Amino acid sequence: MQAPPLKPNAAAGAHHHRANPTLLAALGLPTEVPADWRARALTKFDELLHTRRSLKLYLDTCVRCGACTDKCPFFLGTGDPNNMPVARAELLRKVYRRHFTAAGKLFGPLAAGEELTDAVREQWFTYFYQCTECRRCAVFCPFGVDTAEITMAAREIMASIGLATKYVSEVVDKAHTIGNNIGIPEAAWRDTCRFLEEELKEQTGADIKLPVNQAGAEVLLVPPSADLFTNTDTMMAYGKFFHALGVSWTTSSYASEAGNFGMFLNYEHLKKVNRRIVDAARQLGVRRLVMGECGHAWRAAQAFTDTLNGPLDFLEKPRPEHILEYAVRVIRQGRLKLDKSANDGLAVTYHDPCNLARAGGIIEEPREILRLIARGFREMPADTIREKTFCCGAGAGLLTDEIMETRFAGVKPRIEAFCASGATHLAVPCAICKAQFPVAFEHYRIDAQVVGVMDLLAKAIVL
Amino acid sequence: MPAITLAGKQFDVDENGFLQDPAQWSDEVALGLAQTEGIEKLTDEHWKVVRYLREYYMKFHVAPSIRMLCKQTGLPLKQIYQLFPSGPAKGACKLAGMPKPTGCV
Amino acid sequence: MQLWLSLLLYLAAAVFLIGLGWRLLNWLRTPVPLKIPLTPGPADRRGVLWRLGGELFAFRALWRADRSLWTPAWIFHVALVLLLIGHFGGLETPRFACATLGGMQAAFCRVACDVGLPFAGGLTGMSMAQFGHFEDISGGLVGAVAIAALLWLLLRRLLAERVRSISTFSDYFALLLLLLIIVTGNDMRFMGGLNIEQARQFVAGWLALHPTPAPADPVFTMHILLVCALLIYIPFSKLVHIGGAALFSPTLNQRNNPRQRRYTGPWDKTNASATA
Ligand code: HEM
Ligand code: SF4
Ligand code: SF4
């Protein structure tokens, strides 16, 4: 997408609702911004500088070459200069210089250092919540400077002084107390699964089970809870898939969420949310842990689980697996009978969720599947796919209504690429993307449908 | 915390105008909330959706899946969007006096 | 006399070495709690070396991002490295060092002299004298190329809207400093105001820790002073990236193998300590 001219402050008015004191207290955060917030924020900043090489290194080494400036979907969509990755990072870096470097302490503004003031704090809250931690900028930076790491640190600092968004806090709290982001308690979880079993019976004629808390199953499947709310086709697809394979599987009503919004708040909650999955797998005595269609869930699961809450050596395969990876394997083994014609007439393209492509390495698997099951599969332009994929514009805690304009702006480059592909169906294995795209399609008046990769696969499976 | 006046009474609502306390809900409140959603008049079909949601919420403390809502009310999703322009998870749940479904929705 | 110039240069070099070493050590010592390689990425060491090599020598990400930046940036860096080689390991300098010095200190110079020079001469089929001349010209040419690349970078900073908007004083300062250093260097080469032999002797002596008086030439003095400024400036600015920032960067230097091998994130003591 063509880079827009700079429109200073174009996105300065986009504000998330702030978490209320009750929520903050539930998460162990200060319930309001304390009088000594400056000192506290700097203390936290200092702590992070000593415990995260990414943060320190990336604050130190950016040469402001500008290579990343036109790579961020939020800059491309809004034109707000603070949404250029380097400028976003500068919001933190200017404070770093002023308070933590010799040059900044001595020369202040001449060394581009700036005091941490109320205004800077507000800038942080605005712009670090207009970054979806998608890592696209990092792909183009000569030093691998990952602005997502900067954003995470900034959010962690803000959380330490009681500044968090309502959306992220609410979701993290539900994950801790109920077990999933939507807040589906066990009874409703079971009820929904029963209902979907009936739907499957109607669709296929087969008695396909969606087991819950079944101890001793081979596979613990952890779906995003949205698969039991809006994306029920995907939930049913898992069922048909395992049924066709004859593999015993289960979901857990305790770890009923693949996603990990803790990652969008701070390290502590990332770890705590992640913990549930490991505990559930251990309790149910499963042999494999498989993650459903969710992008950032996969990042947290594949890259962090073993570190944060491992070792997973009680599993037969002591690592999380991705459902699409699992599917590719069994397809290659010839264990599924597929009928391509089930998806005839669909012009399908594939959207790489950022976290699958740039933080999880699931890139070829969905393509391999789609080529096998959909004759109408085609790619979007090469500079917008695989590790260069454009974010859906709603990840990392942005999937909330009050910043709808930002979301529409952030999805724009992806929408352009989608239109260039001429597809009518967008296959995407991520719950956040699945929630964002329909809204975006409507906004941009595009007549297209969003489907899960598993949905299409299940359609092609012959029982 | 924001508040609104519905049917002559004050109610605490969240930033999106959802009732804070679902127990305060009544038919009159639903009518009042309909106004805030720009829905002029509640038809039988509106009530069917609202009552189903309400019933499900009282039993399970969460909104039902969209698919279940359509199935149980016999209304296709398109029609639910016509009845509640901001959609089942926003408009309809608001009228049913339950919290806004959040998560990856 | 001008011995003070040598001393100042030693001081600047010390600040540079200690400062840069300190910063690199700091990066190294700061823990990396989680696996964060950019994917797709190599799972083995050899693959990581290729990835880092690609960034270090070919500026791969920059190539992907923006060719109109890659071109001047890559040319500038190559020219800079060539100029550095020319100054230190350079072909003429060691010969002077050998002539002036004795003993161990000249040992490395002698190797360069006795092996390097005839070898290079043999390759190019030039006599020693011709070679010295060639070095003069080529050094000057590389300098000119570096100046052109720097001007390109400077103009880009001034003219390209997005880059201008993110540029700080120090970004211009670095470019101007470098420009001045290379301009004064080339001025000496081409304007002929300076006895080049004397300059070489100065560098050789300085390198061998046997400072000799600097040539009494204002341009030369300025050149050295600017170099001192650069050396001192580097550890305290974005120019620390000359320490090879990419090598330290977890997005690039980590193996993408969290699922083959448990990464314990040694900093977080609450992570279970057993390794799989
Ligand atoms: C790790 C490999 C390296 C990469 C990827 C790299 C990349 C860059 C980039 C992108 C710039 C900015 C150009 C601009 O102004 O727009 C730059 C500037 C600079 N680099 Fe490097 N560099 C590397 C290694 C080095 C080394 C080894 C040296 C020293 C010999 C060096 C010296 C400089 C200097 C002096 C500048 C200043 C020019 C300026 O400030 O713009 N770099 N580098
Ligand atoms: S590409 Fe990297 S070094 Fe260049 S401006 Fe962006 S973050 Fe800084
Ligand atoms: S991580 Fe993504 S959203 Fe954030 S600054 Fe980089 S490109 Fe933009």
Side-chain angles (χ1 to χ4, degrees):
Chain A
M1 186 177 162
Q2 198 72 35
L6 298 185
K7 298 188 210 71
N9 296 320
H15 293 303
H16 284 253
H17 296 320
R18 276 172 52 178
N20 62 37
T22 323
L23 262 179
L24 290 165
L27 298 176
L29 302 173
T31 53
E32 57 185 51
V33 177
D36 62 343
W37 67 269
R38 242 177 115 255
R40 287 209 210 183
L42 292 174
T43 307
K44 187 74 186 174
F45 200 162
D46 191 46
E47 177 198 318
L48 294 183
L49 285 169
H50 286 93
T51 51
R52 281 195 208 157
R53 175 170 336 149
S54 55
L55 175 66
K56 178 153 186 58
L57 183 68
Y58 299 155
L59 289 177
D60 278 341
T61 54
C62 168
V63 293
R64 281 168 303 287
C65 69
C68 59
T69 52
D70 58 347
K71 303 301 185 283
C72 175
F74 291 94
F75 171 69
L76 292 175
T78 62
D80 189 318
N82 282 331
N83 275 331
M84 296 187 289
V86 40
R88 193 189 309 287
E90 285 287 312
L91 297 177
L92 199 60
R93 194 175 283 120
K94 63 188 182 186
V95 176
Y96 168 68
R97 287 200 202 93
R98 169 64 188 79
H99 291 279
F100 298 100
T101 70
K105 282 181 199 162
L106 281 176
F107 302 109
L110 200 59
E114 198 173 314
E115 289 279 344
L116 178 52
T117 57
D118 288 5
V120 171
R121 194 186 77 197
E122 283 312 305
Q123 275 185 322
W124 284 4
F125 194 67
T126 305
Y127 291 103
F128 288 118
Y129 279 99
Q130 289 189 43
C131 164
T132 51
E133 303 176 1
C134 81
R135 314 185 93 194
R136 190 167 195 269
C137 43
V139 171
F140 298 94
C141 171
F143 310 112
V145 169
D146 183 359
T147 310
E149 291 291 312
I150 309 260
T151 293
M152 287 182 199
R155 289 187 183 187
E156 183 145 1
I157 295 170
M158 286 189 279
S160 78
I161 53 167
L163 261 184
T165 70
K166 179 183 181 208
Y167 173 52
V168 170
S169 310
E170 199 169 85
V171 169
V172 171
D173 183 50
K174 282 192 284 184
H176 289 330
T177 53
I178 305 176
N180 60 69
N181 294 354
I182 293 183
I184 308 174
E186 175 170 356
W189 188 269
R190 288 182 183 277
D191 184 65
T192 308
C193 287
R194 257 194 308 272
F195 165 74
L196 294 177
E197 284 171 355
E198 284 162 26
E199 293 282 287
L200 275 163
K201 174 89 180 173
E202 234 173 74
Q203 263 185 17
T204 65
D207 282 313
I208 296 173
K209 293 282 170 243
L210 301 180
V212 183
N213 298 342
Q214 198 152 100
E218 155 106 8
V219 168
L220 169 61
L221 178 94
V222 188
S225 56
D227 288 357
L228 274 82
F229 189 72
T230 31
N231 312 319
T232 37
D233 282 331
T234 308
M235 190 64 203
M236 290 156 67
Y238 304 136
K240 189 175 175 190
F241 173 74
F242 285 116
H243 179 84
L245 286 173
V247 166
S248 69
W249 69 292
T250 186
T251 55
S252 155
S253 66
Y254 176 75
S256 43
E257 178 63 57
N260 190 332
F261 272 48
M263 193 155 87
F264 310 147
L265 187 61
N266 64 20
Y267 179 92
E268 178 198 335
H269 286 287
L270 161 70
K271 181 164 179 156
K272 190 170 163 196
V273 171
N274 181 266
R275 174 99 219 163
R276 291 180 88 89
I277 297 177
V278 180
D279 288 346
R282 192 180 275 120
Q283 249 164 28
L284 290 169
V286 296
R287 285 186 303 232
R288 286 170 176 271
L289 175 57
V290 178
M291 306 301 293
E293 288 199 348
C294 173
H296 77 276
W298 180 238
R299 175 172 203 191
Q302 73 98 18
F304 306 154
T305 307
D306 216 6
T307 302
L308 294 176
N309 293 301
L312 303 178
D313 45 14
F314 58 92
L315 294 170
E316 177 187 296
K317 181 170 191 317
R319 318 284 168 205
E321 290 171 275
H322 194 274
I323 184 75
L324 297 179
E325 199 180 35
Y326 191 102
V328 163
R329 195 177 65 242
V330 297
I331 290 173
R332 285 189 190 156
Q333 290 167 349
R335 287 165 64 190
L336 285 178
K337 196 164 157 219
L338 299 174
D339 174 15
K340 220 180 203 179
S341 68
N343 291 315
D344 274 358
L346 304 188
V348 188
T349 190
Y350 177 70
H351 164 69
D352 291 271
C354 331
N355 279 295
L356 286 196
R358 286 186 284 263
I362 301 284
I363 294 175
E364 297 309 325
E365 291 85 348
R367 294 183 161 81
E368 185 170 338
I369 296 173
L370 288 168
R371 276 194 289 266
L372 278 174
I373 57 163
R375 288 196 184 95
F377 175 63
R378 79 270 319 274
E379 292 279 12
M380 289 188 262
D383 57 344
T384 72
I385 56 170
R386 296 196 161 86
E387 76 267 32
K388 295 181 194 162
T389 185
F390 274 115
C391 182
C392 73
L398 272 72
L399 184 66
T400 179
D401 292 348
E402 66 267 26
I403 50 148
M404 207 47 114
E405 288 308 313
T406 307
R407 284 169 54 186
F408 290 148
V411 73
K412 215 164 142 193
R414 175 39 89 216
I415 292 282
E416 274 194 12
F418 175 79
C419 292
S421 76
T424 57
H425 284 67
L426 182 62
V428 45
C430 171
I432 290 178
C433 305
K434 281 175 188 164
Q436 161 83 338
F437 280 119
V439 188
F441 283 152
E442 194 188 314
H443 176 77
Y444 288 105
R445 297 182 197 292
I446 290 161
D447 190 18
Q449 274 190 31
V450 181
V451 289
V453 176
M454 285 301 287
D455 310 15
L456 296 177
L457 175 61
K459 263 174 80 186
I461 291 177
V462 183
L463 289 180
Chain B
M1 193 174 291
I4 51 168
T5 311
L6 302 168
K9 268 181 70 186
Q10 280 259 328
F11 294 90
D12 287 341
V13 291
D14 74 359
E15 293 86 344
N16 301 298
F18 283 65
L19 277 195
Q20 287 286 357
D21 179 7
Q24 292 181 319
W25 187 85
S26 67
D27 283 15
E28 289 71 46
V29 172
L31 284 168
L33 287 165
Q35 303 294 313
T36 69
E37 279 286 296
I39 301 170
E40 291 296 313
K41 189 169 152 296
L42 290 186
T43 63
D44 286 353
E45 280 171 338
H46 282 107
W47 281 113
K48 192 151 81 177
V49 172
V50 169
R51 294 215 191 284
Y52 176 69
L53 284 174
R54 187 75 200 165
E55 197 184 311
Y56 193 93
Y57 179 75
M58 293 317 280
K59 186 164 173 203
F60 289 115
H61 310 290
V62 70
S65 72
I66 306 297
R67 189 186 206 104
M68 206 183 294
L69 174 67
C70 296
K71 188 92 172 186
Q72 304 295 354
T73 58
L75 298 167
L77 190 56
K78 254 207 165 70
Q79 201 177 343
I80 294 185
Y81 268 98
Q82 276 160 12
L83 294 170
F84 304 92
S86 61
K90 286 163 206 161
C93 286
K94 183 186 281 185
L95 264 65
M98 42 200 280
K100 181 170 181 242
T102 57
C104 304
V105 292
Chain C
M1 281 311 290
Q2 298 232 34
L3 221 66
W4 61 273
L5 207 54
S6 279
L7 297 179
L8 188 63
L9 202 51
Y10 281 125
L11 186 73
V15 171
F16 167 75
L17 285 176
I18 296 171
L20 188 62
W22 172 250
R23 309 248 358 218
L24 300 194
L25 202 67
N26 255 335
W27 290 342
L28 261 187
R29 277 198 318 215
T30 312
V32 185
L34 294 168
K35 273 270 180 184
I36 58 167
L38 277 169
T39 65
D44 57 342
R45 283 216 173 76
R46 176 199 291 245
V48 166
L49 285 180
W50 272 108
R51 177 181 235 177
L52 293 173
E55 295 304 343
L56 231 48
F57 298 116
F59 291 15
R60 255 186 67 208
L62 222 48
W63 176 259
R64 216 178 297 158
D66 182 352
R67 310 264 151 102
S68 74
L69 167 59
W70 182 90
T71 311
W74 193 78
I75 292 178
F76 159 68
H77 282 85
V78 171
L80 197 64
V81 170
L82 289 178
L83 288 177
L84 282 178
I85 293 176
H87 278 66
F88 298 144
L91 300 171
E92 280 295 299
T93 311
R95 219 148 51 84
F96 277 92
C98 287
T100 5
L101 310 160
M104 286 301 288
Q105 283 156 335
F108 95 97
C109 304
R110 189 148 282 140
V111 174
C113 217
D114 293 348
V115 184
L117 267 189
F119 183 67
L123 269 188
T124 49
M126 285 185 242
S127 71
M128 287 299 219
Q130 279 175 321
F131 206 88
H133 197 58
F134 164 77
E135 201 203 27
D136 230 18
I137 305 256
S138 60
L141 272 179
V142 174
V145 168
I147 290 170
L150 280 170
L151 283 174
W152 186 344
L153 288 171
L154 185 61
L155 280 180
R156 180 175 169 277
R157 251 190 214 292
L158 286 166
L159 299 179
E161 190 190 21
R162 292 195 304 276
V163 192
R164 187 178 59 225
S165 83
I166 54 165
S167 295
T168 63
F169 170 76
S170 81
D171 299 316
Y172 295 109
F173 182 74
L175 284 170
L176 288 174
L177 197 55
L178 280 158
L179 262 175
L180 283 176
I181 289 174
I182 303 178
V183 167
T184 48
N186 263 17
D187 179 87
M188 292 184 285
R189 264 189 222 278
F190 292 126
M191 298 309 152
L194 174 79
N195 181 345
I196 204 93
E197 311 277 295
Q198 221 183 334
R200 283 179 176 145
Q201 196 136 356
F202 172 81
V203 175
W206 187 84
L207 270 180
L209 302 178
H210 263 230
T212 55
D217 175 82
V219 183
F220 183 84
T221 310
M222 194 150 107
H223 186 68
I224 301 293
L225 284 178
L226 288 166
V227 168
C228 290
L230 179 68
L231 287 173
I232 294 171
Y233 184 63
I234 286 173
F236 302 101
S237 66
K238 70 171 191 180
L239 295 183
V240 283
H241 81 273
I242 76 163
L247 298 177
F248 298 83
S249 177
T251 50
L252 300 174
N253 76 3
Q254 284 188 326
R255 281 173 289 165
N256 177 29
N257 64 354
R259 291 196 297 145
Q260 281 98 59
R261 222 156 166 273
R262 181 166 187 243
Y263 180 75
T264 44
W267 154 78
D268 182 351
K269 301 286 181 269
T270 69
N271 292 345
S273 54
T275 16

